[in-house]
């Protein structure tokens, strides 16, 4: 499987962060149409976790992570309910093991996108340029959902 490079992540950040509100809305709509099932799955986390702060973060990172794959030149098929069903049990087992051991290698192996995994780990654990940071609960939730998005998008790469 091809990995998303650090350069593609940087390019995606530049693109997404420099869009105006209309541009962000257009890219959100495009991504939502292309990955409707995956977006619904990701957004359901904000409801399940009962965390309204998570909603806006998930939309932003969903678009950003998709753009990382685009910047790498990878084509993706739409993620299906069957993909999600096949993914969930092994993922939850992985999370249990990870939270017991704190072994980052487990996450990178499972997701098979080490640069994106490391990027999200840094994103949720460091302050923004303006000095704000996520509370621990939101950071953990964002990380868990982002890894799911990364893994499912990685598995949807059209070779």
């Amino acid at each position: 499987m091809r990995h998303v490079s650090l350069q593609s992540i940087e390019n995606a950040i530049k693109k997404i962060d420099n869009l105006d509100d209309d541009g962000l809305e257009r890219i959100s709509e495009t991504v939502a149409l292309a990955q409707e099932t995956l977006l619904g799955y990701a957004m359901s986390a904000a409801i399940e976790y009962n965390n309204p702060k998570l909603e806006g973060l998930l939309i932003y990172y969903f678009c950003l992570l998709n753009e990382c794959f685009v910047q790498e030149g990878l084509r993706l098929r739409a993620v299906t309910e069957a993909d999600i069903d096949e993914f969930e049990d092994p993922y939850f087992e992985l999370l249990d093991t990870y939270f017991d051991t704190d072994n980052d290698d487990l996450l990178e192996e499972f997701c098979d996108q080490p640069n994106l995994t490391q990027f999200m780990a840094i994103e949720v654990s460091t302050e923004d340029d303006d000095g704000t940071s996520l509370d621990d609960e939101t950071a953990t939730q964002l990380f868990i959902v982002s890894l799911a998005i990364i893994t499912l998008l990685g598995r949807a790469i059209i070779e």
Side-chain angles (χ1 to χ4, degrees), residues 26 60 70 76 116 140:
R26 279 194 303 279
Y60 170 79
V70 169
L76 302 171
L116 286 173
T140 300

Side-chain angles (χ1 to χ4, degrees), residues 11-150:
N11 292 344
I13 293 167
K14 285 178 192 169
K15 179 176 179 177
I16 298 297
D17 286 355
N18 288 316
L19 291 173
D20 61 14
D21 289 342
D22 290 339
L24 280 172
E25 188 173 324
R26 279 194 303 279
I27 205 160
S28 296
E29 288 173 4
T30 301
V31 171
L33 289 172
Q35 293 293 348
E36 185 176 354
T37 300
L38 180 56
L39 179 59
Y41 176 69
M43 296 308 294
S44 70
I47 296 165
E48 285 181 35
Y49 287 129
N50 193 25
N51 186 345
K53 291 185 276 186
L54 194 57
E55 193 171 307
L57 291 166
L58 286 174
I59 292 170
Y60 170 79
Y61 283 104
F62 191 86
C63 291
L64 180 64
L65 293 169
N66 267 283
E67 186 61 31
C68 290
F69 284 88
V70 169
Q71 290 294 321
E72 191 64 35
L74 299 170
R75 291 187 15 220
L76 302 171
R77 65 174 174 73
V79 174
T80 65
E81 288 288 341
D83 294 328
I84 293 168
D85 290 344
E86 181 181 315
F87 154 85
E88 277 190 317
D89 285 340
Y91 185 57
F92 293 134
E93 289 173 21
L94 166 82
L95 290 175
D96 288 341
T97 304
Y98 170 73
F99 287 119
D100 287 343
T101 65
D102 258 354
N103 182 350
D104 292 335
D105 293 338
L106 293 173
L107 300 177
E108 290 178 18
E109 288 173 23
F110 185 84
C111 293
D112 200 22
Q113 287 293 336
N115 294 326
L116 286 173
T117 302
Q118 291 170 5
F119 165 72
M120 284 309 303
I122 292 167
E123 282 290 292
V124 301
S125 63
T126 58
E127 290 183 349
D128 286 343
D129 292 338
D130 65 3
T132 60
S133 61
L134 298 173
D135 61 82
D136 288 344
E137 185 176 12
T138 301
T140 300
Q141 293 165 353
L142 177 60
F143 188 66
I144 289 169
V145 179
S146 296
L147 286 182
I149 294 167
I150 292 166

